[in-house]
């Protein structure tokens, strides 16, 4: 097990031809580009947490029925600094780094001061984002790194903070129909306020400014004040419908004062994140046209969630689906000390991921009776009016045991049927992938012995008529490192195997990524 999670993986910057079995659709042309941690030991130093590892990009390129694999470490400033020193020099969320143990007392005091508002890492290991014609590796700090999706080469570093006052930003942006990027970030104690900002990166810049980047035209759409100045909520994603942005302020919070003293106290920033099970989870709905928040207060019980699935509007209601937990045991699972050989048997989540559907009546009757359920759609989800006018929401449970959800993105923000996800029960290791029908609750699964699949990515066929016309791609790692990994291609409709592309390398377990169709690629030469 430690071989799969903890062991450093070699990079393969030159394309390796995969052995293809079965029949891949001829229309499948482009690059599946994915991101995740690949190196956890540098010299004698080790990261504490799997999510801290150095970013390793990898890709499968589909070209006329052939498939080529390559992988390359993101050459972030963090990577270069660590490799040069042959030890961990830059702190990550779960690992505090102490670069120079033998500084004198004055230098030490100064070092402590400079760490109170830390210079965050640019080890962007979570996802891939498209902005304009360019692609970026993303993490959750204010830094992203431009990359070449064909060669996996690392290009310039972009600091969101130069364009918008955020210290943290999500790795799950949304894209509107014009290709603009919408993302959210947290602005910590800026001008005495802590707030969550929604910002837009335009997909193109005016003709006469062609040399400028689209970030120069970044605009703040609106802001939501944090309920607490020094305890902002942690969030990994947000939701979007045709007319609204959905932001969930969960009682899973960063303690800013603790973060400021973490370096001196010799603890990681992760230890400054706490879940309060007795607190409420607040829902914020921002009108995309007026850029104002809906004034009614909506809330539910305490929960921890990372991934929104999808959201849409129907008859005056907002319906949104999230994968949620009743505690924060998921993050703790992935400390490398827990990822030992018998991990799958020994380490169990204390809360199983559940796909929860909330149905929120936006146009609720002001004269509605207290304690009455305001949901008028057929659903077991409820929204009950309280004495103070706030609305207490309880979800319908759609299913249990799925994570890393993906949809046909053409249906993002619209009424939809299908979720493609990894199947996880009490162990956080995905052993299967699933296609779940939110309407009939039917679930199709793919799994094989000793196989750990990654987040499934749906690719629509060019002449798609229905939501599930297309293929699902997933990178499959074998539990025995001597067995070669493969890329699996499933027919999205039937969830049966069309083909696989096997590569004789040791592939890492990754997090997120995207498929870039051939026509979306700049035609620069390799």
């Amino acid at each position: 097990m430690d071989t799969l999670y903890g062991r450093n993986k070699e990079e393969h910057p030159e394309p390796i031809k995969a052995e293809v079995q079965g029949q891949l659709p001829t229309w499948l042309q482009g690059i599946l580009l994915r991101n995740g941690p690949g190196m956890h030991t540098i010299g004698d130093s080790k990261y504490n947490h799997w999510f801290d590892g150095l970013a390793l990009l990898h890709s499968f390129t589909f070209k006329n029925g052939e498939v080529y694999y390559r992988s390359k470490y993101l050459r972030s400033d963090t990577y270069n600094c660590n490799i040069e020193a042959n030890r961990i020099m830059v702190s990550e969320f779960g690992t505090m780094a102490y670069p120079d143990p033998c500084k004198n007392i004055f230098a030490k005091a100064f070092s402590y001061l400079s760490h109170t508002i830390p210079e965050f890492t640019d080890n962007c290991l979570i996802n891939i984002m498209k902005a304009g014609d360019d692609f970026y590796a993303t993490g959750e700090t204010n830094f992203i790194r431009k990359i070449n999706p064909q060669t996996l080469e690392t290009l310039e570093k972009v600091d969101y903070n130069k364009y918008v006052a955020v210290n943290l930003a999500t790795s799950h942006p949304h894209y509107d129909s014009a290709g603009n990027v919408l993302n959210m970030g947290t602005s910590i104690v800026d001008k005495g306020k802590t707030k969550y900002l929604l910002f837009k990166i335009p997909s193109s810049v005016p003709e006469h400014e062609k040399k400028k980047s689209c970030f120069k035209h970044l605009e703040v759409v609106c802001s939501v004040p944090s309920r607490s100045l020094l305890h902002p909520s942690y969030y990994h994603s947000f939701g979007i419908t045709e007319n609204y942005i959905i932001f969930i302020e969960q009682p899973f919070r960063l303690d800013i004062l603790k973060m400021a003293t973490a370096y001196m106290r010799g603890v990681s920033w992760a230890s400054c994140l706490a879940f309060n099970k007795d607190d409420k989870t607040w829902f914020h709905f921002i009108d995309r046209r007026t850029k104002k928040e809906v004034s009614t207060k909506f809330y539910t019980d305490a929960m921890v969630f990372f991934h929104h699935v999808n959201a849409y509007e129907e008859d005056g209601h907002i319906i949104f689906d999230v994968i949620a937990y009743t505690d924060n045991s998921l993050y703790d699972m992935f400390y490398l000390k827990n990822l030992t050989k018998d991990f799958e048997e020994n380490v169990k989540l204390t809360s199983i991921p559940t796909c929860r559907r909330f149905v929120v009546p936006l146009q609720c009757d002001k004269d509605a009776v207290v304690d009455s359920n305001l949901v008028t759609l057929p659903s077991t989800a409820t929204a009950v009016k309280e004495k103070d006018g706030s609305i207490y929401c309880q979800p319908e449970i759609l299913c249990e045991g799925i994570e890393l959800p993906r949809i046909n993105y053409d249906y993002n923000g619209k009424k939809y049927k299908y979720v493609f996800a990894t199947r996880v029960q009490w162990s956080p290791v995905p052993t299967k992938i699933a296609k779940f029908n939110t309407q009939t609750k039917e679930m199709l699964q793919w799994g094989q012995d000793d196989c750990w699949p990654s987040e499934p990515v749906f690719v629509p066929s060019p002449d798609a008529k229905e939501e599930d016309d297309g293929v699902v791609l997933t990178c499959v790692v074998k539990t025995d490192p001597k067995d070669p990994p493969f890329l699996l291609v499933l027919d999205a409709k039937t969830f049966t195997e069309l083909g696989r592309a096997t590569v004789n390398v040791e592939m890492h377990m990754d997090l997120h990524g995207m498929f870039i169709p051939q026509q979306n690629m700049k035609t620069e030469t390799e």
Side-chain angles (χ1 to χ4, degrees):
M1 175 71 202
D2 45 85
T3 53
L4 279 177
Y5 276 101
R7 194 161 80 214
N8 291 351
K9 303 301 183 284
E10 263 179 66
E11 60 178 7
H12 300 279
E14 294 307 316
I16 296 171
K17 191 174 178 184
E19 186 191 327
V20 177
Q21 291 163 287
Q23 212 48 57
L24 306 185
T26 51
W27 57 261
L28 188 61
Q29 306 273 343
I31 297 176
L32 176 69
L33 176 57
R34 298 190 55 77
N35 199 351
M39 190 187 299
H40 290 89
T41 307
I42 303 155
D44 296 331
S45 56
K46 279 187 168 61
Y47 285 114
N48 296 331
H49 199 280
W50 186 62
F51 297 157
D52 292 341
L54 292 175
L56 179 55
L57 301 164
H58 65 160
S59 67
F60 284 90
T61 302
F62 299 85
K63 208 169 179 179
N64 308 328
E66 293 182 337
V67 180
Y68 295 89
Y69 176 81
R70 55 170 66 172
S71 64
K72 198 167 165 65
Y73 279 100
L74 183 75
R75 295 306 196 265
S76 58
D77 294 356
T78 296
Y79 175 94
N80 293 332
C81 186
N82 288 348
I83 296 297
E84 195 179 328
N86 196 32
R87 54 190 289 230
I88 296 168
M89 298 289 284
V90 182
S91 297
E92 298 293 335
F93 193 63
T95 308
M96 191 61 83
Y98 294 90
D100 194 345
C102 50
K103 278 184 180 164
N104 68 38
I105 189 83
F106 295 109
K108 263 200 173 127
F110 184 73
S111 176
Y112 283 151
L113 285 173
S114 65
H115 274 80
T116 51
I117 292 291
E119 167 79 357
F120 282 131
T121 178
D122 67 336
N123 175 31
C124 306
L125 77 148
I126 299 179
N127 206 350
I128 307 293
M129 173 176 93
K130 183 178 195 283
D133 293 328
D134 297 319
F135 294 88
Y136 296 84
T138 63
E140 295 196 304
T141 72
N142 50 304
F143 295 115
I144 58 177
R145 288 301 301 228
K146 188 170 160 181
I147 53 172
N148 177 325
Q150 280 136 321
T151 63
L152 306 186
E153 190 188 349
T154 304
L155 304 166
E156 62 263 28
K157 172 168 151 176
V158 173
D159 180 357
Y160 277 137
N161 218 324
K162 285 201 169 73
Y163 311 101
V164 56
V166 295
N167 310 86
L168 306 163
T170 90
S171 244
H172 289 285
H174 282 283
Y175 305 92
D176 67 16
S177 50
N180 303 306
V181 177
L182 288 163
N183 202 0
M184 289 196 69
T186 303
S187 178
I188 299 171
V189 198
D190 177 53
K191 302 187 180 72
K193 291 191 168 63
T194 294
K195 47 190 187 282
Y196 312 106
L197 300 180
L198 173 73
F199 59 91
K200 177 169 137 182
I201 307 163
S203 59
S204 58
V205 296
E207 254 330 296
H208 63 281
E209 296 189 24
K210 271 290 172 258
K211 293 255 183 313
K212 282 193 179 169
S213 87
C214 49
F215 294 96
K216 291 243 179 357
H217 292 269
L218 183 150
E219 59 172 296
V220 173
V221 177
C222 71
S223 71
V224 174
S226 167
R227 293 185 70 83
S228 158
L229 177 71
L230 296 173
H231 296 86
S233 185
Y234 168 80
Y235 55 101
H236 184 79
S237 62
F238 62 101
I240 190 168
T241 68
E242 193 184 340
N243 298 298
Y244 294 92
I245 299 290
I246 300 156
F247 172 65
I248 300 179
E249 197 172 6
Q250 57 186 346
F252 187 32
R253 299 195 187 91
L254 288 164
D255 183 321
I256 301 307
L257 292 181
K258 278 189 177 170
M259 281 185 82
T261 57
Y263 185 80
M264 311 193 288
R265 292 183 295 122
V267 298
S268 72
W269 291 316
S271 70
C272 311
L273 185 62
F275 173 59
N276 184 348
K277 66 181 187 340
D278 303 316
D279 227 329
K280 298 180 169 85
T281 299
W282 295 90
F283 299 154
H284 301 272
F285 302 102
I286 297 140
D287 187 315
R288 293 175 64 183
R289 286 164 305 190
T290 64
K291 304 182 172 44
K292 296 271 188 294
E293 192 182 333
V294 173
S295 58
T296 312
K297 297 275 179 275
F298 299 95
Y299 73 94
T300 188
D301 300 320
M303 65 178 192
V304 171
F305 87 103
F306 298 92
H307 297 113
H308 275 266
V309 184
N310 199 5
Y312 60 94
E313 296 162 44
E314 190 175 345
D315 292 339
H317 297 70
I318 286 181
I319 294 150
F320 66 91
D321 301 338
V322 294
I323 310 283
Y325 299 81
T326 52
D327 65 27
N328 60 330
S329 64
L330 181 76
Y331 183 83
D332 295 340
M333 292 283 123
F334 286 95
Y335 277 104
L336 289 169
K337 65 175 190 287
N338 294 334
L339 301 181
T340 54
K341 284 195 181 51
D342 313 316
F343 169 70
E344 223 178 333
E345 283 67 57
N346 297 351
V347 180
K348 296 282 181 261
L349 288 161
T350 48
S351 158
I352 201 164
T354 54
C355 185
R356 304 184 190 185
R357 167 162 290 183
F358 288 92
V359 180
V360 178
L362 277 190
Q363 270 70 46
C364 44
D365 181 1
K366 290 281 175 283
D367 307 321
V369 182
V370 168
D371 291 339
S372 61
N373 174 23
L374 307 178
V375 175
T376 54
L377 294 176
S379 170
T380 54
T382 58
V384 172
K385 183 173 175 178
E386 310 263 279
K387 280 195 191 64
D388 63 1
S390 62
I391 313 285
Y392 171 48
C393 304
Q394 281 187 297
E396 172 184 348
I397 303 295
L398 295 181
C399 71
E400 292 193 324
I402 63 170
E403 239 314 349
L404 303 176
R406 295 291 291 248
I407 58 167
N408 176 342
Y409 203 77
D410 295 337
Y411 287 75
N412 190 44
K414 303 183 176 92
K415 190 165 184 174
Y416 78 116
K417 256 194 213 154
Y418 302 112
V419 185
F420 303 98
T422 54
R423 197 86 175 86
V424 284
Q425 287 299 124
W426 292 103
S427 157
V429 181
T431 49
K432 293 181 172 138
I433 53 170
K435 173 192 184 182
F436 177 68
N437 184 325
T438 58
Q439 289 169 15
T440 66
K441 313 286 194 285
E442 179 192 12
M443 193 181 280
L444 299 177
Q445 304 192 62
W446 178 92
Q448 275 179 7
D449 289 349
D450 309 319
C451 286
W452 287 353
S454 71
E455 167 197 61
V457 174
F458 173 82
V459 184
S461 57
D463 50 358
K465 306 259 185 308
E466 292 180 327
E467 187 181 339
D468 56 354
D469 284 343
V471 295
V472 168
L473 307 177
T474 178
C475 304
V476 182
V477 169
K478 303 295 290 264
T479 49
D480 183 346
K482 288 194 278 295
D483 293 342
F486 57 93
L487 177 91
L488 179 70
V489 182
L490 298 180
D491 177 329
K493 223 177 219 354
T494 60
F495 229 54
T496 52
E497 181 172 340
L498 294 172
R500 59 177 67 185
T502 306
V503 272
N504 210 353
V505 300
E506 199 187 340
M507 197 158 76
H508 63 311
M509 308 271 292
D510 61 18
L511 288 167
H512 297 293
M514 63 161 56
F515 182 78
I516 308 167
Q518 189 52 52
Q519 63 269 24
N520 291 10
M521 219 94 62
K522 282 184 184 167
T523 50
E524 55 203 351
T525 48
E526 283 268 322

